[in-house]
């Protein structure tokens, strides 16, 4: 499995540890940055990771920032991405099973390496169930084509 990983400055340290852990498990990992704890803009890394997953170059993506919120918001702007922000293994399993999430956002402020590594293991090893869930994922993907407020009358 090919994994794209990225972080801003707030997620840099945890991202470095996660990258090493994923490589140690024999996974193919590409690090899209950042490469230091110097202040950066999280949308740059969210875009790079999400784009690489959306274009089929990578199977899944992992993003790390302070809370995970900014990364998930930015990644979900990329067509074809279903980025989930999750804090426990039940959330991660359900977002894979029901939503076919292809990017996971993690908040470095709220978890240590062991917790984050466990969530990523669940993320990488849980299959999408399809069936009735596919219809719902298709509807999510259809929303990408509705890009203006005119498409959503009050």
């Amino acid at each position: 499995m090919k994994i794209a990983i990225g972080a801003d400055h707030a997620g840099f340290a945890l991202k470095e540890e996660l990258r090493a852990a994923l490589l140690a498990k024999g996974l193919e990992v590409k690090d899209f940055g950042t490469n230091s704890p110097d202040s950066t803009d999280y949308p740059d890394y969210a875009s790079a990771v999400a784009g690489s997953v959306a274009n089929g170059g990578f199977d899944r993506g992992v993003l790390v920032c302070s809370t995970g919120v900014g990364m998930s918001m930015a990644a979900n702007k990329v067509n074809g991405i279903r980025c989930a922000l999750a804090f426990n293994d039940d959330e991660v399993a359900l977002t894979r099973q029901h939503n076919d999430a292809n990017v996971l956002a993690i908040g470095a402020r709220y978890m240590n390496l062991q917790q984050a590594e466990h969530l990523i293991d669940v993320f990488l090893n849980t299959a999408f169930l399809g069936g009735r869930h596919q219809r719902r994922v298709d509807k999510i993907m259809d929303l990408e084509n509705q890009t203006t407020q005119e498409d959503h009358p009050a």
Side-chain angles (χ1 to χ4, degrees), residues 47-133:
S47 174
V49 168
S52 72
V53 172
N55 74 20
F58 291 84
D59 301 302
R60 305 264 171 82
V62 174
L63 293 166
V64 188
C65 69
S66 178
T67 64
V69 174
M71 285 289 201
S72 65
M73 292 171 78
N76 278 318
K77 298 296 183 184
V78 176
N79 284 353
I81 293 304
R82 290 169 308 282
C83 180
L85 168 61
F87 295 95
N88 65 60
D89 54 355
D90 188 52
E91 288 176 310
V92 175
L94 288 170
T95 199
R96 280 289 308 132
Q97 292 170 345
H98 294 188
N99 311 116
D100 198 19
N102 50 13
V103 176
L104 178 65
I106 294 174
R109 179 181 289 197
Y110 307 115
M111 77 183 51
N112 62 36
L113 173 61
Q114 182 182 10
Q115 293 166 319
E117 205 174 342
H118 176 70
L119 292 186
I120 292 171
D121 285 343
V122 172
F123 179 64
L124 299 180
N125 294 301
T126 302
F128 175 52
L129 295 177
R132 72 181 192 273
H133 304 293

